[in-house]
Amino acid sequence: MSFLEEIQRRRTFGIISHPDAGKTTLTEKLLLFGGAIQEAGAVKSNKIKKGATSDFMEIERQRGISVATSVLAFEYNGIKINILDTPGHKDFAEDTFRTLTAVDSVIVVIDVAKGVEEQTEKLVEVCRMRNIPMIVFINKMDREGKDAFDLLDEIEQKLGLKVVPLSFPIGMGYDFKGIYNIWEKNINLFSGDSRKDIEETIEIKDLASPELDTLIGDSAAQTLRDEIELVEGIYPEFKKDNYLNGDLQPVFFGSALNNFGVRELLDCFVDIAPKPRPKQSEERLVEPDEDKFSGFVFKIHANMDPNHRDRLAFIKIVSGTFKRNTPYLHVRNKKKLKFSSPNAFFAEKKEIVDTSYPGDIVGLHDTGNFKIGDTLTEGETINYKGVPSFSPEHFRYINNADPLKSKQLYKGIDQLMDEGVAQLFTLELNGRKVIGTVGALQYEVIQYRLEHEYGAKCSYENLNVHKACWVDPKDSKSDEYKEFVRVKQRFLAKDKQNQLVFLADSPFSLQMTQQKYPSIKFHFTSEFD
């Protein structure tokens, strides 16, 4: 297959939603269609021996939530699909924001009973800022929930999307009869039997035909006719270009747990979803079909295999082909590196690949060379931007609880911070270490992983900080800046990149500081121009 054909057949997307709307279950069912896993382990019950394929950290299995983004790939009808399953839990939002820099499109999962939830709003906002095409999947139709039209209105209002339903439910919950597929004009009857891997569909060209009444009963048939007429009256016609520009979002209904409505979603997705797209770097726009390889690190995962200390850097390939054992330039370090065993993912199975194409995600074994946001190229200096650090919401001192293991503790903290689990600040005054995270659950994850992966114990101490602001002085030699450093000394820290950070203890003190030192800028993200 030629290089261009390989690009054309790739689709890379992320699945986002509020916790518990069914992302991981949907991911599993999509893999089932790709023949990638034989049986899907539903997330709900922890009694099943086979846990969900995409949750492989111990803590994920215990709590039934996904903590780290996982990469899964499968083939379906000749199309190579790469899925990034993201954590929905807000404590791990930062991992999800970073993942969104590496996807070409997104599927948003919404729970029919709960409607639009806060985490969905935040994530969709990030997608809209970047104009990422989105498809909405309304899940759990086999349970009682909100009326379809009310739900579509809610999505339009709360998420600011322009929706067009491409499938429509017949009844819901107890009366759920099936789904009418507007996109392909056929009907799919719901049997409630999840053992059937793939449901049969019955083609119905014309909704007025009496065949419909025999299939689902007179009253349901009449309701469906009225509803579809309404849908065609209210919602715009689906146009692929509008979807690709991020101006129109198709909606599908189904139940991922019962594997229902998932095939419709997948078939339509393969048909309309974008191929690998060009990416903006600081220097220029990079097109996927260029000959020369380039890619960037959007995630680092330490200790994928508890038996070996290893770190994997996840690289999204933007252009050209990535070949095994070929030296590539690490732009930030200005060093050439070659990789003898690049991995392609398939849930927790990894296989070594010789060549990867734009749109693919490759895992490279890393001994500490990479940071999140690094670029690899064939020699050109390209910096992909858009993987910032956000100001954390929670701050605690981290203390060593076992003095004999201090070396392991520092190594562990160092590696976990490179992975982007949290941010480390070192106080200027006394060199104490402060860990800042987006959510409180992360402290548990850090403590757990330090103990189980590095054999180090730590304890925390609360620290009253409102926000961390990156300090950007106009002139670092000015008297005003020197006075700021002297007066605020006990609130200053350095981050891992050695940038100066001001830890404001309240909104008020931040405001006062901004007024008192007007020439100094304070930023809430680490990437500022």
Side-chain angles (χ1 to χ4, degrees):
M1 225 184 265
S2 74
F3 171 52
L4 284 173
E5 282 170 338
E6 287 286 2
I7 301 181
Q8 300 287 346
R9 70 183 205 98
R10 294 223 168 6
R11 306 278 183 278
T12 304
F13 72 99
I15 297 187
I16 59 174
S17 81
H18 197 78
D20 266 358
K23 280 188 301 296
T24 302
T25 310
L26 178 63
T27 309
E28 300 264 290
K29 291 308 195 293
L30 291 171
L31 289 176
L32 206 54
F33 281 109
I37 44 179
Q38 264 47 61
E39 48 171 316
V43 188
K44 263 290 173 267
S45 135
N46 291 336
K47 295 189 191 74
I48 306 183
K49 286 197 188 67
K50 192 176 167 53
T53 322
S54 45
D55 290 353
F56 56 76
M57 256 198 286
E58 195 55 41
I59 198 159
E60 302 186 298
R61 296 214 176 98
Q62 286 169 3
R63 289 175 172 246
I65 58 172
S66 307
V67 176
T69 300
S70 63
V71 182
L72 307 119
F74 64 95
E75 297 256 342
Y76 179 74
N77 294 350
I79 298 284
K80 168 136 194 277
I81 297 180
N82 298 310
I83 305 182
L84 299 172
D85 178 18
T86 64
H89 210 284
K90 72 167 184 300
D91 292 5
F92 306 99
E94 211 165 314
D95 195 32
T96 307
F97 290 143
R98 290 201 199 100
T99 303
L100 290 176
T101 58
V103 299
D104 297 311
S105 68
V106 160
I107 291 181
V108 186
V109 184
I110 289 175
D111 180 333
V112 66
K114 295 182 182 150
V116 175
E117 297 170 275
E118 92 183 289
Q119 207 46 39
T120 324
E121 291 185 41
K122 284 192 187 144
L123 293 166
V124 167
E125 197 180 342
V126 176
C127 296
R128 283 184 45 214
M129 271 164 32
R130 302 213 160 109
N131 284 339
I132 302 177
M134 288 180 260
I135 294 181
V136 180
F137 181 69
I138 295 178
N139 193 13
K140 308 194 179 178
M141 287 309 297
D142 54 321
R143 304 196 185 167
E144 295 298 328
K146 303 186 176 187
D147 170 73
F149 287 107
D150 291 347
L151 204 49
L152 292 167
D153 283 349
E154 187 180 333
I155 294 171
E156 295 213 315
Q157 281 158 10
K158 283 198 180 165
L159 300 178
L161 303 181
K162 189 124 191 61
V163 300
V164 46
L166 292 187
S167 77
F168 209 80
I170 305 168
M172 76 152 61
Y174 187 66
D175 302 322
F176 185 51
K177 300 259 195 322
I179 285 173
Y180 175 68
N181 185 341
I182 303 174
W183 173 248
E184 293 172 5
K185 296 235 183 311
N186 59 27
I187 210 161
N188 192 341
L189 297 178
F190 180 61
S191 60
D193 179 1
S194 59
R195 283 192 304 271
K196 281 208 208 137
D197 278 353
I198 292 162
E199 304 278 340
E200 309 80 57
T201 50
I202 300 155
E203 205 158 314
I204 290 200
K205 286 277 186 280
D206 180 16
L207 278 180
S209 77
E211 197 186 343
L212 186 64
D213 301 84
T214 40
L215 282 175
I216 58 178
D218 298 350
S219 66
Q222 197 44 52
T223 316
L224 179 66
R225 290 180 184 126
D226 296 344
E227 290 186 328
I228 297 295
E229 198 176 317
L230 246 175
V231 167
E232 286 166 355
I234 308 176
Y235 296 104
E237 192 187 340
F238 175 73
K239 289 199 174 65
K240 190 169 167 179
D241 290 350
N242 297 2
Y243 154 74
L244 291 175
N245 299 334
D247 299 331
L248 191 66
Q249 285 77 26
V251 180
F252 285 87
F253 291 85
S255 157
L257 189 60
N258 292 306
N259 207 349
F260 194 77
V262 178
R263 191 195 56 78
E264 287 80 346
L265 173 73
L266 187 57
D267 284 346
C268 174
F269 172 82
V270 164
D271 212 2
I272 65 174
K275 297 182 273 298
R277 300 163 75 178
K279 188 161 174 71
Q280 186 63 49
S281 69
E282 286 174 23
E283 291 72 20
R284 61 189 185 84
L285 187 69
V286 180
E287 297 285 344
D289 53 8
E290 294 178 16
D291 303 339
K292 294 258 193 295
F293 160 77
S294 74
F296 66 98
V297 179
F298 67 92
K299 171 184 170 60
I300 292 173
H301 195 112
N303 309 323
M304 298 265 293
D305 176 351
N307 308 328
H308 304 284
R309 292 279 150 135
D310 66 341
R311 284 174 36 155
L312 268 186
F314 288 68
I315 302 233
K316 160 85 190 272
I317 299 175
V318 181
S319 64
T321 41
F322 177 84
K323 296 190 176 68
R324 190 176 148 191
N325 284 329
T326 309
Y328 289 116
L329 175 70
H330 180 316
V331 175
R332 183 174 52 87
N333 287 352
K334 303 189 175 45
K335 271 198 208 122
K336 289 248 171 173
L337 303 171
K338 54 157 78 163
F339 303 94
S340 58
S341 53
N343 284 297
F345 297 96
F346 171 76
E348 47 194 19
K349 300 194 223 10
K350 297 180 298 196
E351 43 196 57
I352 291 176
V353 280
D354 288 330
T355 345
S356 303
Y357 298 93
D360 283 343
I361 310 285
V362 183
L364 303 179
H365 287 279
D366 171 33
T367 48
N369 295 314
F370 288 116
K371 288 183 182 163
I372 286 176
D374 279 348
T375 309
L376 275 179
T377 67
E378 281 192 33
E380 187 186 351
T381 304
I382 296 177
N383 288 290
Y384 288 111
K385 54 170 189 250
V387 188
S389 296
F390 297 89
S391 171
E393 304 285 324
H394 302 258
F395 297 86
R396 291 183 194 173
Y397 287 118
I398 181 165
N399 299 323
N400 187 357
D402 178 355
L404 296 174
K405 292 279 174 79
S406 61
K407 193 174 150 210
Q408 285 87 329
L409 180 76
Y410 290 121
K411 182 181 171 192
I413 293 177
D414 209 49
Q415 291 205 351
L416 291 178
M417 297 304 138
D418 273 350
E419 202 181 305
V421 175
Q423 293 173 57
L424 184 68
F425 302 105
T426 309
L427 291 185
E428 291 278 83
L429 193 62
N430 52 15
R432 281 192 77 178
K433 305 246 181 282
V434 172
I435 286 188
T437 67
V438 180
L441 194 57
Q442 266 157 319
Y443 290 109
E444 251 179 85
V445 174
I446 293 170
Q447 200 165 16
Y448 178 90
R449 292 185 59 183
L450 282 172
E451 194 171 331
H452 291 258
E453 293 170 16
Y454 298 94
K457 288 191 168 59
C458 72
S459 62
Y460 297 114
E461 221 177 293
N462 277 331
L463 168 68
N464 180 23
V465 173
H466 158 64
K467 274 270 193 268
C469 311
W470 279 266
V471 179
D472 177 14
K474 225 182 199 150
D475 172 13
S476 55
K477 295 192 174 61
S478 68
D479 293 344
E480 187 176 316
Y481 179 66
K482 283 180 186 150
E483 191 201 342
F484 162 75
V485 173
R486 187 177 57 79
V487 174
K488 295 292 179 191
Q489 187 186 7
R490 59 197 191 86
F491 299 108
L492 293 180
K494 288 267 172 66
D495 71 1
K496 230 182 145 180
Q497 276 69 44
N498 230 358
Q499 286 173 295
L500 191 66
V501 178
F502 170 55
L503 303 173
D505 54 358
S506 68
F508 175 71
S509 83
L510 176 59
Q511 211 178 341
M512 293 303 292
T513 311
Q514 283 167 326
Q515 282 167 7
K516 197 170 164 195
Y517 307 104
S519 76
I520 302 175
K521 285 205 180 86
F522 297 97
H523 301 275
F524 289 125
T525 58
S526 62
E527 234 180 51
F528 45 84
D529 305 327

